[in-house]
Amino acid sequence: MTQQKAGLLGGAPPEEGPDPATHDPAVPHQQKDLADGRGAAARALDRAARHADAWAATWSKGRSLAAIGTVWALTRIVMVYLLVQDDIGVSNVSSEVVFLYPRWSQQLADGAFPVGDVTWQYPPGAGLLFLSPSLLPFLDYFAAFLVLTLVADAVVMVALARSGRRLAGAWLWTAGLPMLLNLPHGRFDIQVTALAVLALLAGRRRPRLGGALAAFGALIKVWPLLTLVGMERGRTTRDAWVSAAAAAAALLTVLALAFRHSFDFLQQQGARGVQIESLGGTVLSLMRASGMPIWVETRYGALEFSGEHVATVAQLSLMLTAAAFGWLMFWRGRASRWTEATPFDAALTAILLFTVTSRVISPQYMVWLLGLAAVCLTSRLTTQRPVAWVLLAATAVTAFAYPLHYLEVMQGTALGNTLMVARNGLLLTAAVLSCRRLWTATARDPDPTVPSTSESSPSLH
């Protein structure tokens, strides 16, 4: 009654209830269900797109891996053919595997390291490598050694391909090594490089394993120990170096008990002179070309210089090597930023420094540098990408120097000196560039031209 009176008196009309003909309480629920269905469909489509992208990426990487494997197989067939034929350049690349290594293997099988042999200049771990072809008794020594070297070569390629998403490292190793023609498989540096590569790749998450592998490599040729120089300070470094020391001590003990004269190599190694392919050798070769009384002699299984100023150059090389070691220690003390690539970059820098300051640079040293540069390229955070390109150029020039025109290098002709100046100039450039980029990325304010460390992974302990 009151509401009716209010309407009659001109007040607000009575509030009308919902029209039963148009209002359905179930409509909001239907709309919510429709929105949920559309959201579920969108999420399903998003998941399908992500799966499609992942499948496409996997397919693309699979094709890239197949391409790498194909190129590796084809190039290695050519490299082995060239080694077996051994008729390019100086035509004695295979002589060490054919004559020298079997002789050492026989002496080792008799329970002793070579004694009084000026060509034996390797730590005792190398003895196991020269004995390894006996694991394939159905093959002769040359064939067995070649098979095992190819296996080590393939291990490096696979390890690089499996490391991260980047295949640049695997490509560098696969396509770069053939530039050395028939040399790599006629030496045992691929095996040593394999240990160094595996040590670096393992060290990211398993520093103890990385340290042990580096120690095993160092007991064949000393340089793989330098792969530990860039380990992040703290527990990572302690674990790696303690493991390396323990592994080296254990293996040295076994070798000392199993073989006689395990440390006879030190006498030969310490007496090495200035080899004709070293940076110091290039200086001496240019001095010889100017008329100075300098000549080449065969000593300690290599071609070395004798004559005026040779001793001075040798002493200067040793001083530069000491200075390089001091710089590396100074860098470690000043480094304040580490990324996942820093151990890789530091290892390449260290080997470059010790290569360019050494009294000895053999052409197979390029195998080491290619392997370490390839490890650097497995990470997008590396600072050494330009260095890798310089090393590729140095590798190509090395093949022209040895084996193609080695007689020219020996005789110090204009062509021989030009090749040595070019190759060693590239190595020196790579070393300086490597040091600069490592220092800029880790020990000073970041250079905008190099990858930012802010993208680095968490602690690698």
Side-chain angles (χ1 to χ4, degrees):
M1 179 66 70
T2 303
Q3 293 176 350
Q4 292 175 353
K5 288 181 179 180
L8 293 172
L9 294 174
E15 182 178 351
E16 297 181 358
D19 185 353
T22 61
H23 178 74
D24 184 354
V27 168
H29 297 290
Q30 293 173 351
Q31 294 175 343
K32 181 176 183 301
D33 291 343
L34 181 60
D36 289 345
R38 290 174 178 173
R43 289 192 295 273
L45 289 173
D46 184 58
R47 284 196 300 270
R50 288 199 302 269
H51 286 312
D53 290 342
W55 183 87
T58 301
W59 174 253
S60 177
K61 186 172 183 178
R63 288 189 299 174
S64 298
L65 290 173
I68 291 174
T70 301
V71 172
W72 183 91
L74 294 175
T75 54
R76 272 46 180 185
I77 290 172
V78 174
M79 294 170 75
V80 169
Y81 174 80
L82 292 176
L83 181 63
V84 172
Q85 293 296 112
D86 200 10
D87 58 359
I88 58 175
V90 293
S91 302
N92 65 352
V93 175
S94 64
S95 61
E96 293 195 7
V97 184
V98 174
F99 302 110
L100 186 59
Y101 297 173
R103 173 162 60 84
W104 286 344
S105 178
Q106 185 57 52
Q107 292 174 297
L108 290 162
D110 293 336
F113 285 93
V115 180
D117 186 343
V118 296
T119 60
W120 178 257
Q121 302 155 9
Y122 308 109
L128 299 179
L129 193 149
F130 295 126
L131 284 171
S132 62
S134 62
L135 297 173
L136 304 175
F138 48 88
L139 297 174
D140 61 31
Y141 191 94
F142 178 82
F145 183 89
L146 192 54
V147 168
L148 294 175
T149 307
L150 284 168
V151 169
D153 185 355
V155 166
V156 174
M157 183 267 293
V158 172
L160 292 168
R162 288 173 55 87
S163 179
R165 296 180 179 180
R166 296 183 60 85
L167 295 177
W171 273 118
L172 178 65
W173 176 260
T174 300
L177 202 65
M179 290 184 179
L180 293 171
L181 304 176
N182 55 356
L183 175 68
H185 298 93
R187 301 292 186 270
F188 62 98
D189 294 87
I190 288 180
Q191 291 90 322
V192 183
T193 302
L195 288 171
V197 168
L198 294 175
L200 281 170
L201 295 177
R204 283 194 297 191
R205 295 179 177 84
R206 303 175 66 183
R208 291 188 180 91
L209 176 59
L213 290 170
F216 292 151
L219 289 180
I220 301 174
K221 284 194 170 182
V222 177
W223 71 266
L225 196 62
L226 291 174
T227 59
L228 303 181
V229 74
M231 289 287 185
E232 187 174 0
R233 288 195 296 265
R235 180 179 174 184
T236 300
T237 292
R238 288 195 301 271
D239 287 349
W241 281 99
V242 168
S243 176
L251 184 56
L252 279 174
T253 300
V254 171
L255 292 171
L257 293 174
F259 299 94
R260 302 183 301 277
H261 312 293
S262 299
F263 299 96
D264 193 66
F265 76 99
L266 293 172
Q267 181 178 355
Q268 281 72 248
Q269 187 60 246
R272 294 295 298 271
V274 180
Q275 191 179 15
I276 64 173
E277 296 170 71
S278 65
L279 264 73
T282 300
V283 173
L284 290 171
S285 186
L286 293 175
M287 293 168 66
R288 178 178 64 164
S290 70
M292 288 192 178
I294 299 172
W295 58 93
V296 176
E297 293 182 347
T298 301
R299 294 184 302 188
Y300 299 96
L303 295 173
E304 299 180 350
F305 280 112
S306 294
E308 191 174 342
H309 302 301
V310 174
T312 301
V313 171
Q315 290 297 323
L316 182 60
S317 296
L318 291 173
M319 293 171 60
L320 289 174
T321 299
F325 182 77
W327 185 89
L328 285 171
M329 294 302 99
F330 181 66
W331 165 77
R332 271 197 67 86
R334 289 293 301 275
S336 58
R337 297 181 297 275
W338 258 266
T339 71
E340 66 174 17
T342 301
F344 306 161
D345 296 350
L348 178 59
T349 302
I351 301 304
L352 270 169
L353 285 175
F354 281 87
T355 296
V356 299
T357 62
S358 174
R359 295 169 296 170
V360 178
I361 299 181
S362 297
Q364 58 264 30
Y365 287 19
M366 298 307 303
V367 177
W368 316 348
L369 296 172
L370 283 176
L372 296 180
V375 175
C376 292
L377 295 187
T378 62
S379 173
R380 63 188 177 89
L381 300 177
T382 183
T383 64
Q384 303 296 301
R385 202 166 285 110
V387 179
W389 285 106
V390 178
L391 288 175
L392 270 180
T395 301
V397 178
T398 297
F400 281 97
Y402 185 92
L404 293 177
H405 298 288
Y406 198 57
L407 290 177
E408 304 279 349
V409 175
M410 292 167 54
Q411 296 166 5
T413 65
L415 175 59
N417 285 338
T418 299
L419 288 172
M420 284 294 92
V421 168
R423 198 282 301 275
N424 289 338
L426 287 168
L427 286 180
L428 185 59
T429 300
V432 172
L433 182 62
S434 181
C435 289
R436 178 186 175 277
R437 293 182 69 83
L438 178 67
W439 178 273
T440 301
T442 59
R444 285 172 37 188
D445 291 336
D447 187 327
T449 64
V450 299
S452 171
T453 56
S454 64
E455 298 177 329
S456 62
S457 59
S459 174
L460 302 177
H461 296 335

